[in-house]
Amino acid sequence: MEFSHAKRIDWQISDAEVDYPTAVATMESRVAAIHAGRADELVWLIEHPPLYTAGTSAKTEDLLTPDRFPVYQTGRGGQYTYHGPGQRVVYVMLDLSRRGADIRRYIRQLEEWLIRTLAHFGVDGGRREGRVGIWVDRGGGREDKIAAIGVRVRHWVTYHGIALNVDPDLSHFDGIVPCGIRGHGVTSLWALGSTPTMAEVDIALRTEFDTVFGAEERQ
């Protein structure tokens, strides 16, 4: 499935699961092409088979069951993250040199994008000081993470991106300390009682992407 975009941002949805090495190779090729002016920016929506990724700050002790799923070292920021079916992974390849060249602002935009998307399904997600990703207050001092953010930038072109828990098997997160954060849990839209299809989530993501990023002036 593919969406067009008036501002020359390609939107692509992979219906089959994409293995992690293939995804990384595809991103790196597209980033190089964007930097060279040979390709448009891209927002790529996929699901992975079950796997763990280790960001540049990952600690060995946070990989609790190393033989459970494949583990991939990755150049994105952050620590250990789980990806798997039922989780919408969005790899975002934008040319920040045409968008203000401000990485902190870009990460705030990714956060805002997720918060606005979750609001479509009645979920109040938010930022937390000192904790990466988007969080949900479960009451009684408990907070659960519902979306992860991990970014890499090469020649001012972004890649990697976000992962939103729609309806993954949450027990799969037990093999890691997600993002190195102890004392908090992980949740999903379905676990919170909201049961959208992946297609409905994709529509919300597209709508709110245009809200957050679409109004920018392009040089």
Side-chain angles (χ1 to χ4, degrees):
M1 218 188 303
E2 183 170 344
F3 295 125
S4 63
H5 192 287
K7 291 192 174 182
R8 300 180 63 83
I9 300 175
D10 290 341
W11 277 71
Q12 297 178 4
I13 300 176
S14 293
D15 295 321
E17 292 176 5
V18 180
D19 68 81
Y20 194 74
T22 297
V24 172
T26 301
M27 283 191 288
E28 290 182 342
S29 176
R30 185 64 173 241
V31 165
I34 293 169
H35 175 62
R38 294 184 283 102
D40 294 330
E41 296 171 310
L42 174 65
V43 180
W44 185 25
L45 292 80
I46 70 172
E47 290 177 84
H48 284 302
L51 60 93
Y52 298 128
T53 65
T56 55
S57 302
K59 300 176 182 177
T60 303
E61 61 268 26
D62 288 342
L63 180 59
L64 305 178
T65 55
D67 298 327
R68 187 172 188 180
F69 299 126
V71 180
Y72 297 98
Q73 302 295 319
T74 178
R76 62 156 176 82
Q79 302 189 41
Y80 281 104
T81 299
Y82 167 77
H83 294 311
Q87 181 188 69
R88 178 49 91 206
V89 175
V90 188
Y91 289 135
V92 185
M93 286 149 270
L94 299 181
D95 186 355
L96 293 189
S97 70
R98 304 165 64 189
R99 297 170 172 270
D102 187 333
I103 295 173
R104 289 185 181 180
R105 178 170 177 261
Y106 170 64
I107 292 173
R108 293 286 292 183
Q109 288 174 313
L110 292 178
E111 293 169 341
E112 184 67 19
W113 183 25
L114 284 163
I115 291 167
R116 288 173 174 267
T117 297
L118 290 168
H120 280 246
F121 307 105
V123 173
D124 184 15
R127 303 171 177 89
R128 297 295 185 268
E129 187 68 30
R131 283 188 255 144
V132 179
I134 300 301
W135 298 79
V136 176
D137 186 350
R138 303 301 301 276
R142 175 184 169 186
E143 293 189 325
D144 288 347
K145 190 172 189 175
I146 194 167
I149 298 173
V151 171
R152 190 171 185 183
V153 179
R154 180 177 293 170
H155 303 302
W156 287 110
V157 180
T158 68
Y159 58 124
H160 297 279
I162 62 174
L164 173 59
N165 296 334
V166 179
D167 184 29
D169 184 337
L170 294 177
S171 71
H172 290 179
F173 286 89
D174 295 344
I176 57 172
V177 178
C179 300
I181 298 171
R182 300 176 185 271
H184 296 285
V186 178
T187 193
S188 68
L189 283 168
W190 280 54
L192 294 172
S194 182
T195 58
T197 65
M198 194 66 78
E200 289 170 332
V201 171
D202 292 343
I203 290 169
L205 283 164
R206 175 59 188 275
T207 299
E208 295 306 334
F209 182 91
D210 288 345
T211 301
V212 173
F213 293 94
E216 293 186 334
E217 293 212 357
R218 306 286 296 280
Q219 299 177 7

